[in-house]
Amino acid sequence: MEQILFGYCRVSSTSQNEDRQLIAMAEMNIPEKNIYIDKQSGKDFNRPQYRKLLRRLNEHTILYVKSIDRLGRNYAEIQEQWRIITKEKKSDIVVIDMPLLDTRRGKDLMGTFLSDIVLQVLSFVAENERSNIKQRQAEGIAAAKARGVKFGRPPIPLPENFYEVYKRWRKKEISVKEAARLCKMSKSTFHDRALKYEKGA
C-alpha cells in the first residue's frame, strides 16, 4: 500500500509567515489538503491542527516537517512527539532540513540507533539555541536601558493645570480625590505622577 504524505507547519504567532515551510512541503509533493498549519506558540501541544493531524497518522503515512523545532520548544517535548509519531502511531517522519532524520531509511537496529542519536543532538541544539536567543535579548534590553533607552508606551502628557493642582494638594488645600478630579485622572494615576514629579522623573 502506497504511503500517504502529510505535512505540518507551525509559526509562533499570527503575524509570522509560513510561506517558507509551505514551499518546502510543495517541493515534497504533499497534497495541500494534507498540510496542517498552527499559528501559535509551541510552548504546549494544545494545538488544534496538530491534534487533528495526529489522528490521521498510522503505519501507512509519512509526516514531513521543515525543521525539528516545529515539533516543540524544548528537548523533552521534541523527543516525546517523535516517540508518539514513530512508536504509537507507527508513522514515518521526515525532517526536510536534516536528511539524516528520515525514518524510512535504515529500519534495522543500526539505522534506528543512528537516527535516535541525531535526534537527541538536534533536539538539544534547538533548545540551546532558543535559550541563547532569550539570553541575548535580555542582555540587549539591559544594555539599552543602561544607555537610557525607554521601553513601553510613552507617558500621557500632564494636563496644563497639573502643577497648580499638585501645589494645592501638597499644601493640603484639597484631597487627592479632588486633585485627581481636577486633572481628569484616577486617584492612583494622579498620585503616581505626583511622586514622579517630585523625583524629577
Side-chain angles (χ1 to χ4, degrees), residues 80-138:
E80 176 62 8
Q81 296 310 309
W82 189 275
R83 185 193 65 77
I84 290 170
I85 293 163
T86 60
K87 301 294 192 291
E88 291 185 14
K89 299 295 182 178
K90 302 189 186 316
S91 174
D92 277 316
I93 183 168
V94 176
V95 180
I96 298 170
D97 285 351
M98 181 51 61
L100 281 172
L101 287 178
D102 182 344
T103 59
R104 298 170 301 176
R105 301 177 182 178
K107 293 286 188 180
D108 58 4
L109 185 62
M110 180 57 72
T112 303
F113 174 69
L114 290 174
S115 181
D116 285 347
I117 288 176
V118 173
L119 172 64
Q120 290 186 39
V121 171
L122 289 179
S123 301
F124 172 78
V125 169
E127 180 173 0
N128 195 52
E129 179 58 20
R130 273 186 293 275
S131 297
N132 289 339
I133 289 170
K134 285 181 181 177
Q135 184 177 344
R136 288 195 294 269
Q137 286 174 337

